[in-house]
């Protein structure tokens, strides 16, 4: 393998790593924001505070799904560049991965993938449970 090809594969790998770290940071940010919302709710038990928790959770879910989709696209490009698969001809230093969305890489399939389902629906379930069943103490 030539030095040019190695450099090209490193570019793709760095992009894949960046998408994976973005996804990780989004999950961490979502948990941090929700922890703050729960802390505020613990001090001020008003149900409308819980409703605010839906917005960062849903937006984080969508953004996380987007970055996971990009990561998969770049993995597919990497596989083509190394010759593991042949989805389409790859020219050296072409980092455009928009044509690498496969059937399993559709946005809605990634949104309901194992890693996403174990993260965001439980948070939404907790918010909904508290919203429905929490009765603040009347003084």
């Amino acid at each position: 393998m030539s030095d040019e090809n190695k450099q090209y594969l490193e570019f793709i790998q760095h992009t894949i790593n960046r998408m994976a770290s973005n996804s990780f940071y989004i999950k961490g940010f979502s948990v941090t924001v929700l922890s703050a919302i729960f802390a505020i709710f613990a001090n001020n038990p008003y149900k409308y505070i819980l409703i605010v928790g839906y917005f960062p959770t849903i937006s984080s879910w969508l953004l996380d799904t987007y970055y996971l989709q990009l990561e998969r696209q770049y993995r597919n490009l990497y596989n083509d560049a190394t010759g593991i698969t042949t989805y389409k001809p790859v020219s050296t230093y072409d980092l455009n991965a928009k044509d690498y969305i496969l059937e399993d890489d559709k946005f809605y399939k990634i949104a309901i993938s194992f890693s996403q389902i174990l993260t965001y629906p439980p948070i939404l379930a907790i918010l909904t449970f508290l919203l429905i069943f929490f009765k603040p103490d009347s003084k």
Side-chain angles (χ1 to χ4, degrees), residues 61-79:
W61 192 353
L62 294 174
L63 194 58
D64 191 15
T65 300
Y66 172 72
Y67 280 117
L68 285 174
Q69 183 182 37
L70 283 176
E71 181 186 342
R72 288 185 183 188
Q73 286 174 252
Y74 278 100
R75 277 196 227 147
N76 293 335
L77 173 64
Y78 185 89
N79 288 340

Side-chain angles (χ1 to χ4, degrees), residues 82-96:
T82 57
I84 294 172
T85 58
T86 53
Y87 299 115
K88 69 175 221 146
V90 177
S91 62
T92 305
Y93 293 110
D94 180 17
L95 294 176
N96 186 359

Side-chain angles (χ1 to χ4, degrees), residues 14-28 64 67 71:
H14 287 304
T15 305
I16 292 169
N17 291 340
R18 190 170 55 243
M19 297 305 148
S21 65
N22 285 344
S23 178
F24 178 77
Y25 292 140
I26 289 168
K27 282 183 176 72
D64 191 15
Y67 280 117
E71 181 186 342

Side-chain angles (χ1 to χ4, degrees), residues 40-139:
I40 293 169
F41 178 71
N43 290 330
N44 303 312
Y46 300 109
K47 287 188 174 187
Y48 70 87
I49 294 172
L50 292 174
I51 294 171
V52 173
Y54 284 96
F55 299 109
T57 304
I58 292 170
S59 61
S60 295
W61 192 353
L62 294 174
L63 194 58
D64 191 15
T65 300
Y66 172 72
Y67 280 117
L68 285 174
Q69 183 182 37
L70 283 176
E71 181 186 342
R72 288 185 183 188
Q73 286 174 252
Y74 278 100
R75 277 196 227 147
N76 293 335
L77 173 64
Y78 185 89
N79 288 340
D80 259 11
T82 57
I84 294 172
T85 58
T86 53
Y87 299 115
K88 69 175 221 146
V90 177
S91 62
T92 305
Y93 293 110
D94 180 17
L95 294 176
N96 186 359
K98 69 177 178 156
D99 294 333
Y100 286 93
I101 298 177
L102 306 178
E103 187 58 37
D104 289 341
D105 301 334
K106 300 286 185 187
F107 190 84
Y108 69 93
K109 286 190 176 184
I110 296 172
I112 59 171
S113 67
F114 186 71
S115 66
Q116 301 292 73
I117 291 297
L118 288 180
T119 305
Y120 298 104
I123 294 170
L124 294 173
I126 291 168
L127 286 170
T128 303
F129 178 82
L130 288 173
L131 196 61
I132 292 171
F133 295 109
F134 180 75
K135 305 281 191 257
D137 295 334
S138 56
K139 295 181 181 179

